[in-house]
Amino acid sequence: MFHDIFGHIPLLTNPIFSEFVRAFGKLGKLFIHEKEKLLQLQRLYWFTIEFGVIKEKGVYKPYGAGIISSFGETNQIYNQEANFFPFKLETILNKPFRTDLMQDDYFVIDSLTQLFESLQEVKRLFTEKVLV
Ligand SMILES: [Fe+2]
């Protein structure tokens, strides 16, 4: 419950982020019968909504609920004790993750608008059957 209320709920008050989450759900519904695409969406969810990082004015800040609701993960971000990579869809969609360990790798967005707009690219990759 702490994870949901402290980690997920506050950012949903941001209109861009809430639109991202809504659009994400629609994308999931669109591809609900395609197992591999759902797996890729799961990875995107993991590295954004759960473990996303944004860089603002040169500072890495968590926006993912999995980080925000974890003292250890939050410290990792602010102490820069992990690997920070630019947000790249092709990498994220193909990157397995572990749920039982602290994360080593985070993907960094420049803005919530970038995050929201990435879903259009995901939809394009999925519908045009581009190899991702
Ligand atoms: Fe969560």
Side-chain angles (χ1 to χ4, degrees), residues 46-54 61-65 67 106-107:
W46 184 260
F47 289 110
T48 58
I49 293 171
E50 292 296 350
F51 289 93
V53 172
I54 188 168
K61 298 177 179 177
Y63 69 86
I67 304 172
Y106 300 96
F107 294 93

Side-chain angles (χ1 to χ4, degrees), residues 20-99:
F20 167 75
V21 172
R22 186 186 63 80
F24 200 113
K26 289 175 76 174
L27 207 53
K29 186 178 175 188
L30 192 62
F31 296 103
I32 197 156
H33 298 295
E34 298 186 53
K35 191 175 176 181
E36 182 59 31
K37 288 174 181 154
L38 282 183
L39 177 61
Q40 291 183 314
L41 287 175
Q42 184 184 33
R43 292 171 180 153
L44 182 61
Y45 187 98
W46 184 260
F47 289 110
T48 58
I49 293 171
E50 292 296 350
F51 289 93
V53 172
I54 188 168
K55 192 172 187 179
E56 291 181 325
K57 297 179 182 172
V59 178
Y60 294 114
K61 298 177 179 177
Y63 69 86
I67 304 172
I68 291 170
S69 61
S70 163
F71 184 74
E73 295 268 358
T74 300
N75 273 340
Q76 239 182 205
I77 301 303
Y78 286 111
N79 295 332
Q80 296 188 30
E81 295 169 341
N83 304 311
F84 297 93
F85 299 101
F87 185 86
K88 188 174 179 201
L89 274 177
E90 289 80 2
T91 304
I92 293 169
L93 295 177
N94 294 296
K95 183 173 174 54
F97 59 86
R98 295 274 303 264
T99 61

Side-chain angles (χ1 to χ4, degrees), residues 3-4 8 45 50 65-66:
H3 169 77
D4 290 329
H8 282 295
Y45 187 98
E50 292 296 350

